[in-house]
Amino acid sequence: FDQSDAPGCALGVYQDGRLLYARGYGMASLEHGIALTPRSVLDVGSISKQFTAMAILLLERDGKLRLDDPIRKLFPEMPPYADGVTWRRALSQTSGLRDLWTLWGMTGRTFRGDTVDALRVITRSAGTNYAPGARYLYTNSGWILAAQAVYRLTGQSLAQFAEARIFAPLGMRDTRFFGDNAMVIPGLATAYAPESGGGYRVARNTYDGAIAGAGGVHTTIEDFGRWLDNYDRLIVGDAAIVRTMTTPTLLADGSPARSTLSQAYAVGLSAGTLRGLPVVSHGGSWAGYRGHFLRFPEQRFAVATFCNVSNAGPDTLARQVAGIYLGDRMEPDTTSAWVAALDAAPAAPITAVERQAIAGIWRNVATGQVQRIRLTGDTLFSIGGERTRVVPLGGGRFRLGRGTELRLATDGGTRLLTRTAIDTSSYVRADSVALTVAQLAAYAGDYRNDEIEATQSWRVEKGELVVYAAGRRLGTLDPTYRDGFVRGGTVIDVTRDTRGRITGFVVQAGRVRDLPFTRVR
């Protein structure tokens, strides 16, 4: 990132409550030729969640609510299932609440991001992704409710409350919650996204303040150090609050709410280990901003990387920097070594039979995600949001892009294992399908979901099935398996009655599960 003509990252290294090293790499503004510095202000995305957690826990200490209160106590307009969703569940990614942004993406409507729009979608949701406490699944909806809870309990916006109770006491003068997209933020770094042909485009936030709570904090490397120091000095909050924020939440079965093999979600933070050392962390992503931080409590050491370009890898950078300072106290970096060896492995010749064995449609039963591998000539490609080459490595192993290994399980080729640096997933083979234009026409029609107040229209255009909502073209529906379609990362299963007539479809979209649409025409 150390380039004078490109956006980049600001890096902070902290030891014993002081800023040990700070530097900006790259440009804060390409338009005005302003370099990134440790005092540049950046949107840190979901890193903001820990500040919202602190606000709620301060209100608990004030006697305004309890973490184990049901959210419906403050939001009686929620459906009855919200009686089983506590604030602890809502703030630990174990609530089952459907994610606002994923839901909104299915409506085709323009979202200003105001509180009225946000609450209408969240409170009309007729069900949860799963029983509260049954599993971990990241969602922003509980955090948006938390921001509104601050207002309902205090009469102050989250931005006002955080300024008075958190930022001002800690001397965080350049830190604030985002209020609206017209506000002037001194020192703000512009966010960018790379263009495929070279160069960059501005990738800014276009929403108003409803993202506050789930995200929205704008801060600097210098100010963030004051916040990290508070975990030890406790100027704001107390030891009990910090324990709550850093102790993994337990699921209903008593197991930790694991987000990866080595991390579990607490309240606004992830807690786990990195190369044998206890670590607390969180990442953030919003518009073109990317961020990550790692805090090692036993070493009183932390690293933060805040970036203003969408293809940055702040989590990798933070781990690398932590390794420079703490490497002699860490276990060997077997994960990075595995990724490096995978990425460096040469392509191996394989037979046509071996290529055919991995080609086809694979589905993750737990998440609904689909992996589509297509054979074009002698070359394998993964078809998803983009076309990525699948490189054979021999022995039933393949490399997908960088840092992802595909492996055929030794059970007759009915399972595909996908491994990354943080997790392993299992996929089962699904029967592929190719549909004629006449067959596609049977799916054309209008489908309605009253929860999000949206009607999607499926139409056949130029031999493809295309979906529209609110007059906007959302994309193409790719036939994948029998009565199954994929649009980007969304998987759609068509439903039929006992006579075989199409009655609707069910959506699996990452942070939204089992969302039904009913055919109305």
Side-chain angles (χ1 to χ4, degrees), residues 237-434:
D238 53 37
I241 287 177
V242 171
R243 277 196 303 272
T244 298
M245 293 178 63
T246 57
T247 301
T249 301
L250 299 181
L251 299 176
D253 65 6
S255 63
R258 293 208 174 275
S259 53
T260 69
L261 293 174
S262 62
Q263 301 290 317
Y265 212 87
V267 174
L269 293 166
S270 289
T273 59
L274 177 63
R275 295 176 58 185
L277 297 182
V279 67
V280 175
S281 64
H282 212 291
S285 170
W286 190 254
Y289 297 102
R290 300 292 183 268
H292 200 82
F293 88 96
L294 301 168
R295 175 176 164 263
F296 297 85
E298 294 181 359
Q299 287 73 35
R300 292 177 63 95
F301 177 87
V303 179
T305 51
F306 301 156
C307 309
N308 67 330
V309 61
S310 62
N311 64 341
D315 49 346
T316 299
L317 180 59
R319 288 193 296 269
Q320 290 173 338
V321 172
I324 292 172
Y325 285 87
L326 302 179
D328 60 343
R329 283 171 272 185
M330 290 177 157
E331 295 174 355
D333 189 1
T334 55
T335 298
S336 294
W338 175 82
V339 171
L342 175 68
D343 290 344
I350 60 172
T351 66
V353 172
E354 290 174 304
R355 283 191 286 269
Q356 290 289 349
I358 194 173
I361 309 300
W362 302 88
R363 186 167 191 187
N364 186 312
V365 177
T367 66
Q369 290 176 308
V370 169
Q371 184 79 252
R372 295 180 292 167
I373 301 176
R374 185 172 297 166
L375 183 60
T376 303
D378 290 335
T379 305
L380 292 162
F381 293 96
S382 174
I383 311 298
E386 58 186 32
R387 181 178 161 110
T388 306
R389 188 179 177 189
V390 177
V391 179
L393 304 178
R397 296 173 61 237
F398 301 81
R399 182 175 61 242
L400 174 61
R402 298 188 62 185
T404 301
E405 178 192 72
L406 306 180
R407 184 190 294 270
L408 286 169
T410 56
D411 59 359
T414 61
R415 285 192 305 129
L416 178 70
L417 304 179
T418 301
R419 179 185 175 186
T420 66
I422 61 173
D423 215 347
T424 299
S425 300
S426 178
Y427 292 73
V428 297
R429 186 178 287 281
D431 293 333
S432 59
V433 65

Side-chain angles (χ1 to χ4, degrees), residues 7 63 167 213 432 455 477 485:
F167 302 146
S432 59
T455 299
L477 296 166
F485 296 84

Side-chain angles (χ1 to χ4, degrees), residues 14-196:
Y14 314 86
Q15 179 70 64
D16 294 323
R18 62 188 177 90
L19 193 55
L20 189 64
Y21 177 88
R23 183 174 170 182
Y25 297 84
M27 302 300 293
S29 172
L30 299 180
E31 295 91 334
H32 301 291
I34 300 172
L36 267 173
T37 76
R39 292 186 175 180
S40 296
V41 177
L42 295 101
D43 186 331
V44 296
S46 289
I47 291 174
S48 311
K49 287 180 169 67
Q50 61 198 292
F51 296 101
T52 307
M54 176 61 79
I56 291 295
L57 291 169
L58 287 174
L59 289 175
E60 181 179 46
R61 192 176 68 174
D62 293 347
K64 300 285 189 181
L65 55 63
R66 294 186 310 114
L67 204 57
D68 293 316
D69 282 343
I71 61 175
R72 204 174 184 216
K73 186 174 180 178
L74 275 178
F75 293 90
E77 64 268 42
M78 291 283 289
Y81 68 76
D83 285 331
V85 179
T86 64
W87 286 110
R88 189 184 302 276
R89 293 286 175 222
L91 303 184
S92 64
Q93 312 297 11
T94 61
S95 66
L97 293 172
R98 289 171 171 158
D99 182 69
L100 167 68
W101 306 115
T102 308
L103 289 171
W104 197 272
M106 301 179 199
T107 69
R109 300 193 298 271
T110 300
F111 182 36
R112 288 188 65 249
D114 61 30
T115 302
V116 174
D117 274 348
L119 289 182
R120 185 171 182 87
V121 173
I122 295 171
T123 59
R124 284 180 61 88
S125 184
T128 55
N129 288 322
Y130 51 82
R135 57 164 299 183
Y136 164 94
L137 181 63
Y138 200 93
T139 176
N140 290 294
S141 294
W143 297 92
I144 294 167
L145 292 176
Q148 183 64 13
V150 172
Y151 176 74
R152 294 188 179 190
L153 289 170
T154 69
Q156 294 180 297
S157 67
L158 177 60
Q160 293 168 328
F161 183 90
E163 172 61 27
R165 298 287 298 272
I166 301 173
F167 302 146
L170 294 179
M172 299 173 69
R173 297 182 179 86
D174 294 316
T175 302
R176 62 190 56 79
F177 266 102
F178 185 78
D180 65 76
N181 57 17
M183 70 187 295
V184 175
I185 302 177
L188 179 65
T190 303
Y192 301 92
E195 293 197 277
S196 57

